């Protein structure tokens, strides 16, 4: 059985005694019921992980761990960003969860013209918080040491800026003339891929993205939902760039 993963503060991970408390300590002691003698993995979510053995579980939220090994993952090359148009209902969290488990490095919420869901005011902040919490929990579940960044909500203009700075930029579109499976991909830098909303990307958005350097690509003969297209595309890119090898 693999050791459970818990999130620790940056700078805390080093060989020797480490105390895990707060919400993560409570989750370990009161929810997972971790006890002395069990192995655990601690990570800061930014690429550093530590393996250790629990020496004590105290109260409801304090775990003492003897860390015996620390390692740091290098920055991913190339880095994969998915610009995700806001889906309806809880499909946004589903998209974030599966993209995190797959290995996407950055997720950008996008307020596309045809999005039915709108993030405004307190509701927008709450929704963004849910996306980030989902990424954090999915990162632990999938045993990632480097969790994906979930940025703030972006407009189409800001997405154009991302596309213009990318080493490879693309928009998934059912009428794309080029298959993503045969696109020429960079060995480093940023790969930025746009996933549109249920109603599709508007002609004006497609034109603006093309002017920023993004080509139009298709995944395959079937049309995927916005909540699953980013995960499928991320898996394809991770395989093709060698990051899954």
């Amino acid at each position: 059985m693999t050791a459970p993963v818990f999130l620790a503060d940056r700078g805390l991970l080093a060989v020797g005694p480490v105390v895990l408390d707060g919400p993560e300590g409570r989750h370990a002691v009161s929810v997972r019921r971790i006890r002395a003698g069990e192995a655990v993995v601690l990570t800061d979510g930014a690429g550093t992980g530590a393996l250790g053995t629990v020496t004590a579980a105290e109260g409801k939220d304090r775990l003492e761990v003897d860390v015996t090994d620390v390692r740091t993952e290098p920055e991913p090359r190339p880095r994969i960003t998915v610009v995700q148009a806001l889906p309806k209902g809880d499909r946004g969290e589903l998209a974030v969860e599966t993209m995190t488990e797959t290995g996407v490095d950055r997720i950008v919420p996008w307020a596309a013209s045809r999005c039915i869901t709108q993030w405004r005011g307190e509701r927008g902040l709450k929704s963004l918080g849910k996306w980030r919490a989902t990424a954090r929990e999915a990162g632990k579940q999938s045993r990632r040491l480097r969790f994906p960044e979930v940025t703030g909500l972006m407009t189409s203009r800001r997405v154009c800026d991302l596309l213009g700075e990318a080493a490879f930029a693309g928009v998934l579109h059912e009428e794309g003339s080029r298959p993503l499976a045969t696109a020429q991909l960079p060995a480093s830098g940023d790969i930025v891929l746009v996933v549109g909303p249920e109603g599709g990307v508007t002609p004006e958005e497609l034109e603006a993205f093309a002017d920023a350097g993004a080509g139009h690509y298709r995944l395959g003969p079937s049309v995927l939902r916005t909540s699953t297209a980013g995960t499928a595309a991320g898996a394809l890119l991770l395989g093709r760039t060698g990051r899954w090898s």
Side-chain angles (χ1 to χ4, degrees):
M1 186 174 180
T2 55
V5 178
F6 299 100
L7 187 63
D9 292 337
R10 293 187 182 184
L12 187 66
L13 302 181
V15 173
V18 170
V19 173
L20 185 71
D21 52 15
E24 285 293 287
R26 179 176 295 274
H27 182 68
V29 176
S30 299
V31 179
R32 296 294 301 270
R33 299 190 180 277
I34 303 297
R35 296 294 181 260
E38 296 187 49
V40 295
V41 173
L42 306 179
T43 179
D44 62 2
T48 299
L51 177 64
T53 302
V54 175
T55 55
E58 301 177 345
K60 296 181 179 180
D61 62 358
R62 180 182 172 89
L63 201 71
E64 296 181 7
V65 181
D66 179 27
V67 171
T68 55
D69 182 61
V70 177
R71 69 182 182 92
T72 300
E73 287 184 350
E75 291 278 352
R77 299 179 62 249
R79 187 169 69 157
I80 297 173
T81 295
V82 174
V83 177
Q84 175 67 60
L86 303 180
K88 295 182 294 185
D90 61 357
R91 289 189 173 275
E93 288 98 281
L94 172 64
V96 171
E97 180 180 52
T98 54
M99 283 192 284
T100 299
E101 293 171 352
T102 302
V104 168
D105 304 299
R106 181 170 56 169
I107 301 169
V108 177
W110 170 38
S113 296
R114 291 176 176 168
C115 282
I116 297 174
T117 298
Q118 301 292 325
W119 285 5
R120 294 191 180 96
E122 289 297 322
R123 178 183 177 183
L125 293 175
K126 183 178 180 180
S127 296
L128 178 59
K130 285 183 178 180
W131 280 36
R132 288 174 171 167
T134 298
R136 183 172 61 250
E137 293 307 311
K140 292 193 295 182
Q141 179 66 35
S142 55
R143 310 185 64 77
R144 289 182 61 168
L145 297 185
R146 192 179 297 277
F147 297 173
E149 173 192 4
V150 179
T151 73
L153 181 67
M154 290 195 183
T155 62
S156 295
R157 179 174 295 182
R158 291 188 65 194
V159 171
C160 284
D161 293 337
L162 278 184
L163 295 171
E165 297 166 357
F168 174 90
V171 180
L172 290 183
H173 195 266
E174 60 190 75
E175 296 179 3
S177 59
R178 289 168 283 183
L180 187 61
T182 60
Q184 186 173 354
L185 302 176
S188 60
D190 285 331
I191 294 175
V192 180
L193 201 62
V194 177
V195 176
E198 283 90 347
V201 183
T202 67
E204 294 78 15
E205 289 166 339
L206 284 173
E207 182 178 1
F209 294 162
D211 289 343
H216 302 166
Y217 296 91
R218 67 180 187 275
L219 275 175
S222 60
V223 178
L224 278 69
R225 301 193 70 155
T226 184
S227 54
T228 54
T231 300
L236 174 63
L237 294 172
L238 286 160
R240 290 202 55 221
T241 56
R243 286 182 50 185
W244 271 7
S245 60

